[in-house]
Amino acid sequence: MKSFESELKKYTEKTRLKVSERQEVRERILAFMEYHPLTKSGGDVSMEHAFVSEPFWVMRLNKKVMRYVGGAFIFLMIVVPFVAERAMPGDILYAVKTGINEPFQSQFATSPYEKIEFETRLMERRIAEARVLASKGELTDEVKSHIAETVKAHSSTVQQEIASLREADAESAAIAQIAFSSSLEAQSVVLGATSEDVITLAMDSGTEEVEDPILSAVNEAQSVASREQGSTTPSFDALMARIELQTTRAYELYKSIKASATEEEVKDIDRRFSDVNRIIEESKDKKLSDEDVAAKDLALTLKQVQKLILFMTDIDVRKNVALNDLVPVVLSKGERIEVAREESRVVGEMLREVTNTMVDVHADGVVEKIQHTLAETDVLMLKASTAIDIQDVDTAETSLAQARVLALDMQALIEQHAPTAEEGRDIELEEGEPVTDSATSTSTESPSETQ
């Protein structure tokens, strides 16, 4: 059997050029060199008559071209996306903002909770864009409809993400639902304060009132979020951890805006932080007796903190929305007792007025009904007074609210059945009582004055 090396050697010997062939190739190379000499500067030799291999193309770029290409690349990849962040619906770069920037930013949201937060921010961003356009008078019906559809799409995506998260972590999903619901509630308040809630359309048969499409989309999403949340409340510890995280963020925001905020804003924000801290401490004490009630208090507090963060981060919201409309003050127990005392005084005045004016009512059965209702209110007022003395705020507030309703009902009855001035004159005449006419008596002259 012949070896491979020996066979290869024989083959290479057969493929070698003969002496005559080598001489011919050499002469052709020398002739080419003679007719195509190198330049003295040592520059490139012209390749005009050279054979060009069709599959390959040579591109030469000098430094100047490379600078232009690099500058264009930086402009397209850095400057344009940065400028596009300020684009509004209708601008040329708005497509870059929504089609490139935001999808790229979404890649940094890795966990399900982060994805929910990112979609919520996008929804808030679309609504903020609508408010900016409305303030400039550039919010057309077409843009309104488009933003409304976008709000619906983001809300639907959030609900899908929450449903997916619920399968893996029901508690985190419940917290995410609370945060999303608070965002929708805040946006509804802001839209109601900064835009027209109702659009009146002229129709052939009259007028028709149509709710603003963006506000309608937000309210619809809020209804769905409330329905999805239902009665599910996260655990006390999970809510406490989330509130601590959000309050830390809120305090950092507060430090950044405190220098530019007005004195009234600083006072209002300080009060909200005081409310949050007080409720947290009260919830810790309440946890020992009823953890479920304490958790529900924390869930409401989480919503308050979320709305407070929105107020501090959005300058347009701070300018157009009162903080109390967005984040109402939560009265302490002592403050509620003082309010209850004042309400007791007001309702008492109403009842005394009813007692004094009911004598003018002569309709059959009405007086008896008023007297029976007065007896009920006396019981409620006594119950409220006792509750105030023992610091039972809930009972005092409930009793006083019921007493006020009954007092208003009695006032309405008296107003409905009390005689008018003319009817009163007729009643007095029927009873034989003299009726004096001040105008007549003053205009009648005495006999001594006529003489």
Side-chain angles (χ1 to χ4, degrees):
M1 185 175 180
K2 298 180 180 180
S3 66
F4 175 76
E5 293 181 359
S6 60
E7 290 295 323
L8 181 61
K9 185 178 181 181
K10 288 181 181 181
Y11 181 77
T12 54
E13 289 176 353
K14 291 180 181 180
T15 56
R16 287 179 180 175
L17 293 173
K18 297 179 181 179
V19 176
S20 58
E21 291 174 339
R22 287 201 299 271
Q23 184 65 28
E24 182 180 356
V25 171
R26 186 172 183 274
E27 290 176 357
R28 291 181 62 183
I29 293 174
L30 291 173
F32 181 85
M33 292 173 64
E34 183 179 354
Y35 286 100
H36 300 83
L38 291 173
T39 60
K40 291 183 180 181
S41 62
D44 296 338
V45 178
S46 175
M47 300 295 291
E48 183 179 353
H49 303 289
F51 294 100
V52 180
S53 178
E54 292 185 359
F56 299 95
W57 295 89
V58 178
M59 180 181 294
R60 288 185 174 86
L61 299 175
N62 57 32
K63 292 182 179 180
K64 188 175 182 180
V65 173
M66 288 298 295
R67 283 197 297 268
Y68 288 147
V69 172
F73 179 80
I74 293 174
F75 181 77
L76 291 174
M77 299 303 295
I78 299 177
V79 178
V80 171
F82 179 77
V83 176
E85 283 297 299
R86 299 184 179 182
M88 291 287 126
D91 294 345
I92 297 176
L93 294 179
Y94 190 72
V96 176
K97 178 181 179 179
T98 57
I100 297 178
N101 290 8
E102 291 176 351
F104 176 74
Q105 294 166 4
S106 68
Q107 302 303 313
F108 294 96
T110 55
S111 68
Y113 197 96
E114 289 176 349
K115 292 179 181 178
I116 294 170
E117 285 186 322
F118 181 75
E119 287 293 331
T120 303
R121 286 197 299 271
L122 290 184
M123 181 198 70
E124 293 173 347
R125 199 179 199 186
R126 299 291 87 86
I127 296 173
E129 291 168 354
R131 295 203 311 268
V132 171
L133 291 176
S135 65
K136 296 179 179 179
E138 300 174 0
L139 186 59
T140 62
D141 292 340
E142 182 180 358
V143 174
K144 272 187 178 182
S145 300
H146 174 71
I147 292 178
E149 291 301 321
T150 307
V151 169
K152 291 179 182 179
H154 287 307
S155 301
S156 177
T157 302
V158 169
Q159 292 298 344
Q160 292 173 6
E161 292 290 345
I162 291 176
S164 177
L165 178 60
R166 191 175 290 115
E167 296 178 359
D169 189 350
E171 198 160 65
S172 296
I175 293 176
Q177 191 76 66
I178 291 172
F180 182 58
S181 179
S182 66
S183 175
L184 291 170
E185 289 176 7
Q187 293 301 326
S188 180
V189 172
V190 173
L191 284 172
T194 58
S195 65
E196 295 181 359
D197 296 352
V198 176
I199 305 172
T200 304
L201 300 178
M203 307 295 289
D204 294 338
S205 58
T207 60
E208 180 183 357
E209 291 186 346
V210 181
E211 191 176 18
D212 182 279
I214 302 176
L215 182 59
S216 178
V218 171
N219 290 337
E220 181 181 344
Q222 183 180 347
S223 176
V224 173
S226 300
R227 188 167 59 250
E228 290 294 330
Q229 182 178 349
S231 58
T232 304
T233 304
S235 68
F236 181 90
D237 294 334
L239 282 167
M240 184 64 74
R242 189 65 189 173
I243 288 176
E244 289 176 353
L245 181 65
Q246 292 299 91
T247 49
T248 301
R249 180 188 174 195
Y251 274 115
E252 291 175 353
L253 287 170
Y254 183 38
K255 290 178 182 178
S256 65
I257 70 164
K258 193 171 183 179
S260 60
T262 64
E263 184 177 349
E264 184 179 357
E265 286 177 342
V266 171
K267 182 179 178 181
D268 289 342
I269 294 173
D270 283 338
R271 173 58 199 259
R272 270 56 179 191
F273 278 123
S274 176
D275 290 344
V276 169
N277 293 330
R278 187 187 71 251
I279 294 172
I280 290 174
E281 294 303 319
E282 290 175 353
S283 299
K284 290 178 181 178
D285 296 336
K286 196 178 293 184
K287 178 186 177 184
L288 301 175
S289 58
D290 195 336
E291 185 171 345
D292 291 338
V293 174
K296 290 180 179 179
D297 290 345
L298 286 183
L300 294 176
T301 304
L302 178 58
K303 284 189 174 185
Q304 297 290 85
V305 176
Q306 294 280 130
K307 295 175 185 178
L308 183 59
I309 290 174
L310 173 64
F311 181 82
M312 291 190 292
T313 53
D314 197 322
I315 296 176
D316 184 57
V317 172
R318 286 166 53 193
K319 183 171 65 174
N320 294 286
V321 181
L323 180 56
N324 198 54
D325 294 336
L326 194 62
V327 188
V329 170
V330 180
L331 299 178
S332 64
K333 186 175 181 180
E335 290 172 330
R336 290 170 65 189
I337 288 292
E338 290 302 318
V339 171
R341 285 198 176 100
E342 177 61 21
E343 178 69 2
S344 177
R345 186 190 66 78
V346 172
V347 174
E349 290 291 337
M350 295 171 65
L351 294 177
R352 279 190 287 274
E353 182 182 353
V354 167
T355 303
N356 293 333
T357 56
M358 66 180 291
V359 295
D360 298 328
V361 178
H362 302 282
D364 295 338
V366 175
V367 175
E368 290 77 6
K369 185 175 182 179
I370 293 175
Q371 290 174 342
H372 177 73
T373 306
L374 277 173
E376 290 184 20
T377 54
D378 288 341
V379 173
L380 289 171
M381 293 298 289
L382 178 61
K383 187 176 180 181
S385 177
T386 304
I388 290 173
D389 292 338
I390 63 174
Q391 304 288 300
D392 186 356
V393 185
D394 294 333
T395 301
E397 291 174 342
T398 303
S399 300
L400 288 170
Q402 294 173 353
R404 174 180 278 271
V405 171
L406 293 177
L408 290 173
D409 289 343
M410 287 187 289
Q411 286 180 341
L413 273 176
I414 292 172
E415 184 177 353
Q416 181 181 357
H417 295 282
T420 62
E422 189 64 29
E423 291 172 343
R425 288 169 58 90
D426 295 340
I427 293 173
E428 289 176 350
L429 289 173
E430 290 176 1
E431 294 176 353
E433 297 180 1
V435 179
T436 60
D437 193 330
S438 58
T440 305
S441 61
T442 54
S443 61
T444 304
E445 297 179 351
S446 64
S448 60
E449 292 174 345
T450 57
Q451 292 178 354

